[in-house]
Amino acid sequence: MSLVTILGIIGVVINWTLAIIGMPLQIRENLKRRNAEGLSTLNFSLLFWVFATSFLYGLSIYNFPLILGNALPLVFSGIILGQIMYYRKKNFKKSA
């Protein structure tokens, strides 16, 4: 097994660990609290675009580890970003 393959596998494992453990917990917590207070829009926007560009790059070069490693985190970071925007809009209307 080559070093590139090993690094690809490690990257997939780390990204999926973040996606499977960390992000669903955050999504659930946001739903339970019905707000996304304390989450950084900039941070999750950058995270979303990092996963999106890595996923698209993987598609363009037909690199399965890049595609696989970034697909699920891309979806979950998009959900969290959507929650941030939804709850901020909802809370803004409530306070106005």
Side-chain angles (χ1 to χ4, degrees):
M1 192 178 285
S2 73
L3 179 62
V4 172
T5 304
I6 293 169
L7 291 174
I9 291 169
I10 291 170
V12 169
V13 169
I14 291 170
N15 277 355
W16 276 62
T17 301
L18 170 69
I20 292 171
I21 296 173
M23 290 183 171
L25 292 174
Q26 185 64 60
I27 291 168
R28 193 177 80 200
E29 186 65 25
N30 294 344
L31 289 171
K32 193 165 66 170
R33 293 183 307 165
R34 297 190 190 272
N35 75 46
E37 189 175 318
L39 297 181
S40 167
T41 305
L42 177 62
N43 185 39
F44 278 96
S45 295
L46 291 173
L47 192 60
F48 175 81
W49 286 110
V50 164
F51 290 130
T53 54
S54 295
F55 176 78
L56 292 173
Y57 177 65
L59 282 177
S60 70
I61 63 169
Y62 306 105
N63 185 303
F64 191 68
L66 272 178
I67 296 167
L68 185 63
N70 289 292
L72 195 58
L74 173 62
V75 171
F76 285 148
S77 63
I79 290 170
I80 293 171
L81 189 56
Q83 287 180 322
I84 291 169
M85 292 186 290
Y86 173 77
Y87 288 125
R88 290 223 173 120
K89 183 178 179 184
K90 184 178 174 182
N91 291 338
F92 179 74
K93 284 182 180 179
K94 196 185 290 187
S95 67

